[in-house]
Amino acid sequence: DLGADSYNWTFVPIAGQTFTDSGSGQCHGAPGSADSTPPTVTLVSPLDNAADVSTNTTVTANFSETMNAATINATTFTLTNTATNSQLTATVSYNETDNTATLTPSSALANSTTYRATVTTGAQDLAGNALDQDPNTADNQAKTWTFTTEALSAPSNLSAKRSGSPSQQRIDLSWTDNSSSEASFVIERSTTSTFTTNLVTYQRPANTTSYSDSSSLQKKTTYYYRVFAVDSTGTRSASSNVASATTK
């Protein structure tokens, strides 16, 4: 019976015999055959140079052999925003069954942003061999790859409709939410279609698809509207179509 680093044995008597014996011992390699081959990263996700990656993605690295789980952690497996050169807060786990390390960011990634994943030579196999050093990377960076997150999709089908009595008018807006990762929506209102005059801005929560504007509306005035999806960093999507309505 073989275990991870030990074995047990038993002699079983044949019919008519009573002899039996058993024992145990520690496993070892043949003399001079100690493992000296450094492990490598054989597969990564997202793939190197991948585009349009979900902002809710996890990052994984598959190794060529079983690793020492204690050496796979948030120090040896990191994710960095290349624009700010800042390392993200994340949790790192390791699955010995398929030799896969998984990095899970603590919050959603920013849209339209390039990230660099790094596994350092601090990651070691069970024999203590460090991850094979890639000669094309900086010191201690055994494996690096980059990917770019998806852009925010602009809202669409924006419509504007005046309603209410002349003394209590409002303009009802509705639009289609085409993004799955926005943090909020920004609505812009202006009295010109170029949004250069009397600009007013409203902010609405994520997943919102309507808004009723009754703020300081003037009579017999045409108001123009457009909507943007906004991510957690404040980055806006492209604009929706422009919709307008005229008060009485």
Side-chain angles (χ1 to χ4, degrees), residues 2-197:
L2 290 177
D5 54 9
S6 63
Y7 61 91
N8 302 305
W9 53 267
T10 302
F11 282 109
V12 179
I14 62 174
Q17 302 295 322
T18 58
F19 173 81
T20 186
D21 198 4
S22 63
S24 63
Q26 297 296 309
C27 295
H28 60 80
S33 65
D35 178 11
S36 60
T37 303
T40 60
V41 174
T42 57
L43 181 66
V44 298
S45 177
L47 296 176
D48 191 20
N49 297 318
D52 297 323
V53 174
S54 169
T55 56
N56 294 313
T57 191
T58 58
V59 184
T60 63
N62 289 73
F63 298 95
S64 59
E65 59 178 294
T66 303
M67 304 293 285
N68 179 348
T71 68
I72 309 298
N73 51 54
T75 300
T76 59
F77 190 8
T78 61
L79 187 65
T80 301
N81 182 324
T82 61
T84 61
N85 200 34
S86 56
Q87 183 176 316
L88 276 66
T89 302
T91 58
V92 174
S93 59
Y94 176 66
N95 187 335
E96 294 184 358
T97 302
D98 55 8
N99 299 332
T100 300
T102 300
L103 181 150
T104 304
S106 299
S107 58
L109 304 181
N111 292 90
S112 303
T113 301
T114 299
Y115 290 90
R116 179 177 63 252
T118 302
V119 184
T120 74
T121 54
Q124 300 177 359
D125 65 13
L126 295 178
N129 297 306
L131 198 66
D132 197 18
Q133 173 73 51
D134 184 341
N136 298 317
T137 65
D139 290 345
N140 299 324
Q141 294 183 355
K143 179 66 178 181
T144 64
W145 68 101
T146 61
F147 60 89
T148 303
T149 52
E150 61 191 346
L152 275 175
S153 297
S156 61
N157 301 320
L158 176 63
S159 65
K161 181 180 180 181
R162 192 213 69 84
S163 62
S165 65
S167 62
Q168 292 184 320
Q169 299 186 77
R170 71 176 188 271
I171 297 177
D172 296 324
L173 305 176
S174 66
W175 62 87
T176 301
D177 177 5
N178 296 313
S179 177
S180 60
S181 58
E182 80 277 355
S184 63
F185 287 98
V186 165
I187 304 167
E188 288 187 344
R189 185 189 84 184
S190 178
T191 52
T192 58
S193 60
T194 56
F195 293 85
T196 56
T197 304

